[in-house]
Amino acid sequence: MNLWLQIVDTAGAVLLLIGAAICLLGVIGMLRLPDVLSRSHAATKPQTLGMIFVLAGVALRLRSGMDLATLALIAFFQMLTGPVASHLVARSAYRTGQVEHSELLFDELDEQLTDGK
């Protein structure tokens, strides 16, 4: 094995570890944070970033054209669906009264919901 492949494999392993650590921090945030909005933030941002790091590490380890295309599709759909799902969870929590309105700095959604009534 030449030096270049060894460097790429090591970089892939480091990216896998970093991605796993970021995902772990997201899970800890989901367990420790107090309200729904904070938990949805912890569920989306670190998990998406951690998944991208993991996929980049796997891409560096596999180095096949079809595998890279598959990993790119996974990254695309993860970045597309994760924030949308978190937004829908936060909005449904807001509408069902699980969000403490006094703790919000700006409540623009309340203005939108009361104007239509």
Side-chain angles (χ1 to χ4, degrees):
M1 189 153 107
N2 65 17
L3 181 65
W4 175 249
L5 290 177
Q6 189 173 6
I7 291 172
V8 170
D9 284 342
T10 304
V14 168
L15 284 175
L16 282 168
L17 287 174
I18 290 172
I22 291 173
C23 288
L24 178 66
L25 288 175
V27 169
I28 291 171
M30 286 177 59
L31 294 174
R32 302 279 305 189
L33 291 172
D35 60 341
V36 174
L37 298 179
S38 300
R39 287 180 181 173
S40 69
H41 177 80
T44 305
K45 303 265 179 165
Q47 296 300 333
T48 302
L49 182 64
M51 178 65 74
I52 298 302
F53 274 112
V54 167
L55 292 175
V58 170
L60 287 177
R61 301 282 299 201
L62 292 179
R63 295 187 285 275
S64 168
M66 186 60 77
D67 294 335
L68 295 178
T70 304
L71 292 172
L73 280 173
I74 292 170
F76 172 73
F77 285 116
Q78 175 69 26
M79 290 173 44
L80 183 71
T81 58
V84 172
S86 175
H87 177 78
L88 291 175
V89 167
R91 185 170 263 224
S92 66
Y94 182 89
R95 286 180 179 238
T96 57
Q98 296 177 3
V99 174
E100 190 66 39
H101 294 281
S102 62
E103 294 179 3
L104 298 176
L105 295 177
F106 299 105
D107 194 3
E108 296 171 350
L109 189 58
D110 186 42
E111 296 170 3
Q112 291 176 359
L113 292 176
T114 55
D115 285 343
K117 291 182 180 178

